Amino acid sequence: RPPNSNTVSGGNPYLKPFLAWNADASVDYYFSRTSYASLTGFYKKLQNFIISGQQPEEYFGLTFIANRPYNAQNGDVYGLEAAVQTTFDFLPAPFDKMGVSANYTKVESSISFDPSLSNQTFNVEGLSDTANLVLFYEDDTFQLRGAYNWRAPFLRQTFGPQSQPENIFGYDQIDLSGSIRITPQVSVFGEVLNLTNERFKSYSRYEERLITVSDQGRRITLGLRANF
């Protein structure tokens, strides 16, 4: 009751369907049977974007803050992705079984999050630059793989805890995996995820306003695989 805040929540039967028009173009160059380089451009036009937002509504002569899904304004997403993979089959053994692959994605939006604006109700959430680097070795007996994965900071949701924006700090992780074939039907494998025990952290409008710190831990898996 006044003067306290009044809130209601519910669905929205008047939502329009979310639409996306997409255009992609790529150029690929293969410089061997197992090696290539590619460059891809993409453009997405988003219409009737659906968000969870807050708007004032009148009930019983009083103003309530309504929490519902709404159709937001339209927006554009565009960017580039570059990728390369090469094997070292031109080197002498055992280095001819090694290889490397890498990719980088740069993404932008026509609507960007501004932490200084308290009335900003729509953002294209979950967008950020990413990169991956993989080193691998494979022959008839051994398979080894090491991967470095990186993601830049990004806006997770416009209305997070306490109806404030929630952002995710930049994050990187190293994963290792390998297997040994004992017989043509039996192999032993192992995997280590998050080798350096990185933490997952989120913050509100500014990095000084920490929300969560998640210690996901280092995960180790060992197993035996058999084909019958």
Side-chain angles (χ1 to χ4, degrees), residues 14 62 81 136 146 178 196 225:
Y14 302 104
L62 301 175
E81 180 180 23
F136 58 89
T196 55
R225 184 180 293 115

Side-chain angles (χ1 to χ4, degrees), residues 30-80:
Y30 293 85
F31 42 90
S32 78
R33 295 181 60 186
T34 57
S35 303
Y36 72 93
S38 70
L39 181 64
T40 302
F42 58 88
Y43 172 82
K44 304 176 185 295
K45 185 174 182 61
L46 309 177
Q47 297 176 323
N48 304 330
F49 205 98
I50 298 175
I51 64 170
S52 296
Q54 297 178 327
Q55 292 185 5
E57 296 180 4
E58 295 290 332
Y59 297 98
F60 315 113
L62 301 175
T63 300
F64 288 76
I65 300 299
N67 297 276
R68 304 182 186 277
Y70 295 98
N71 287 118
Q73 65 197 81
N74 300 335
D76 300 326
V77 175
Y78 47 90
L80 291 172

Side-chain angles (χ1 to χ4, degrees), residues 140-160:
D140 294 335
T141 304
F142 297 97
Q143 291 183 354
L144 300 173
R145 182 180 182 272
Y148 172 77
N149 309 295
W150 168 83
R151 184 172 185 178
F154 66 95
L155 176 68
R156 187 177 193 177
Q157 51 184 341
T158 304
F159 296 99

Side-chain angles (χ1 to χ4, degrees), residues 20-199:
W21 298 92
N22 304 280
D24 302 271
S26 65
V27 177
D28 304 321
Y29 176 69
Y30 293 85
F31 42 90
S32 78
R33 295 181 60 186
T34 57
S35 303
Y36 72 93
S38 70
L39 181 64
T40 302
F42 58 88
Y43 172 82
K44 304 176 185 295
K45 185 174 182 61
L46 309 177
Q47 297 176 323
N48 304 330
F49 205 98
I50 298 175
I51 64 170
S52 296
Q54 297 178 327
Q55 292 185 5
E57 296 180 4
E58 295 290 332
Y59 297 98
F60 315 113
L62 301 175
T63 300
F64 288 76
I65 300 299
N67 297 276
R68 304 182 186 277
Y70 295 98
N71 287 118
Q73 65 197 81
N74 300 335
D76 300 326
V77 175
Y78 47 90
L80 291 172
E81 180 180 23
V84 62
Q85 175 179 295
T86 183
T87 57
F88 304 136
D89 50 5
F90 53 87
L91 295 177
F95 304 105
D96 58 337
K97 305 299 183 182
M98 297 178 60
V100 60
S101 66
N103 64 75
Y104 178 82
T105 301
K106 178 69 175 179
V107 60
E108 297 287 348
S109 171
S110 61
I111 301 173
S112 58
F113 172 67
D114 187 345
S116 65
L117 299 179
S118 60
N119 62 344
Q120 192 170 5
T121 60
F122 172 63
N123 297 282
V124 182
E125 301 167 349
L127 296 183
S128 68
D129 298 348
T130 59
N132 302 277
L133 176 65
V134 178
L135 300 175
F136 58 89
Y137 176 91
E138 183 174 352
D139 61 20
D140 294 335
T141 304
F142 297 97
Q143 291 183 354
L144 300 173
R145 182 180 182 272
Y148 172 77
N149 309 295
W150 168 83
R151 184 172 185 178
F154 66 95
L155 176 68
R156 187 177 193 177
Q157 51 184 341
T158 304
F159 296 99
Q162 305 298 320
S163 298
Q164 294 293 307
E166 182 184 13
N167 295 272
I168 305 300
F169 279 92
Y171 182 81
D172 56 1
Q173 179 173 310
I174 296 176
D175 302 326
L176 300 176
S177 63
S179 66
I180 302 175
R181 178 174 294 180
I182 301 174
T183 72
Q185 291 77 33
V186 179
S187 61
V188 177
F189 68 91
E191 183 179 57
V192 180
L193 300 179
N194 193 17
L195 177 66
T196 55
N197 197 22
E198 299 296 330
R199 292 180 175 180

